[in-house]
């Protein structure tokens, strides 16, 4: 393995371990030694990538947006719906994402860690997609995209939190479906309401297409070698 | 002051101090000594009312529902809207409520503290009011009250959290208004949509009527003596 590739893998390993520890213990109770033990890397390797617990937390927070990526859709509202279902589905198994979400909703961010970052980044990302939806005539004229996406980001944060508190996120997909059932009639043109797929299994189905595409790409890479 | 009355006051004093400390430091970092110092009571007084940090946290959580009480309204949907605005308004200044909310959204509840309690209690309370709204013909026939109230409770939790992270809750009333603007069209019969008051200053106005009623009651009590 090339040196650079190995460094990228180690960094990833540390981030995933940090996510798991932050998720289980919260920011305050987490120590660098706990992350070292979980990642099974040397102290030197960790400090090569991250200078402190703060910078580790910041890196975990910064990963959040990339973990919610979905394939583009002709209907941009469907794409936004997909983001919420895929994010919810990944939240069941991805420790890095779990840790990132816990840090974002944690009130006790120390100076130097911007825990409000994910809220702003998600809103900034989704407002672009919602503007595309508007350009394509998908939205009711009353929609103000910035207001709507900030509502979605805030509501999603609370819904996953309530689902975690009550059922350890077992019913999260169901709750996301209910959210869209209540919000879509206020933002989508009537003709789209039945066309948009907001079934609770939407996240699983979108993830399956992502995995398929990844597998095809890998096969193509191999045949080219 | 009668002995019992003094005990009730002391308990309240301790609860308010505990709420403030839990809000500022979170459950894990809070110690009984911090609460003692804030409340300025003796250790004996505190342990007379609360046997441990856990029982103190539980009592702070249990206070949440009573802090969201509003006057009844002829329109039951208006009453539910009022609960959210009054709760949001009180969250700006009431330390006990702030601490209670922080404990509820804290993932790190120790065994013995039921931090999911407020989510369930709010849903159980609001579903009764929403059923009254249904009986009065205020709801669209598609509404399933349990689903809708759980969405409201979860969404509210996240919206206050996002508002806290971005503006220290400065824009919370505005965000609650946006929430209702997106949800009401999916639950209220069309004729009610313009009649329901969801102005961002709704919380302040309802609180003013509560204060007025309290003042009148106090005057009446005095004149009866």
């Amino acid at each position: 393995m090339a040196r650079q590739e190995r460094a990228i893998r180690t960094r990833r390993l540390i981030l995933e371990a940090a996510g798991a520890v932050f998720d289980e213990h919260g920011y305050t109770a987490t120590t660098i030694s706990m992350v070292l033990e979980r990642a099974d890397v040397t102290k030197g390797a960790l400090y090569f990538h991250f200078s402190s617990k703060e910078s580790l937390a910041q890196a975990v927070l910064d990963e959040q947006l990339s973990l919610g990526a979905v394939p583009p859709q002709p209907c941009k509202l469907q794409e936004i719906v997909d983001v919420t279902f895929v994010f919810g589905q990944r939240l069941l198994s991805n420790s890095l994402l779990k840790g990132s979400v816990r840090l974002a909703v944690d009130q006790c961010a120390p100076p130097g860690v911007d825990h409000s970052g994910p809220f702003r980044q998600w809103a900034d990302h989704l407002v672009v997609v919602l503007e595309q939806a508007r350009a394509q005539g998908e939205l009711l004229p009353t929609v103000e995209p910035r207001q709507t996406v900030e509502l979605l980001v805030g509501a999603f944060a609370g819904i996953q939190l309530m689902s975690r508190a009550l059922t350890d996120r077992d019913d999260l997909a169901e709750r996301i479906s209910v959210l869209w059932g209540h919000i879509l009639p206020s933002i989508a043109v009537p003709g789209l309401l039945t066309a948009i797929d907001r079934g609770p299994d939407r996240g699983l189905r979108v993830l399956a297409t992502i995995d398929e595409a990844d597998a095809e790409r890998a096969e193509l890479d191999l045949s080219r070698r």
Side-chain angles (χ1 to χ4, degrees), chain A residues 4 9 19 21-23 27 48 55 59 63-64 67 88 105 109-110 113 120 129 140-141 184 190 193 221:
Chain A
Q4 204 193 341
R9 283 207 186 186
V21 179
F22 282 131
D23 175 49
Y27 181 82
F48 174 77
S55 71
E63 286 291 319
Q64 194 174 127
L67 291 166
V105 303
V113 178
R120 270 186 273 104
V129 190
L140 295 174
L184 279 176
L193 287 182
D221 280 355

Side-chain angles (χ1 to χ4, degrees), chain A residues 77 140 142-143 178-190 193 196 198:
Chain A
L77 270 178
L140 295 174
T142 44
V143 175
V178 170
L179 169 68
W180 284 113
H182 282 77
I183 300 272
L184 279 176
S186 307
I187 61 175
V189 292
L193 287 182
I196 292 174
R198 57 171 188 89

Side-chain angles (χ1 to χ4, degrees), chain A residues 40 42 56 62 74-75 80-81 83 95 100 109 184 203 206:
Chain A
D40 200 15
T42 64
L56 202 47
D62 292 344
C75 170
I80 295 177
V81 169
V83 167
S95 299
S100 185
L184 279 176
V206 174

Side-chain angles (χ1 to χ4, degrees), chain A residues 56-70:
Chain A
L56 202 47
Q58 192 60 56
V60 168
L61 282 164
D62 292 344
E63 286 291 319
Q64 194 174 127
L65 209 62
S66 67
L67 291 166
V70 299

Side-chain angles (χ1 to χ4, degrees), chain A residues 146-160:
Chain A
R146 173 59 62 172
Q147 276 191 354
T148 299
V149 297
E150 295 207 352
L151 168 65
L152 284 170
V153 172
F156 184 92
I159 285 164
Q160 68 79 24

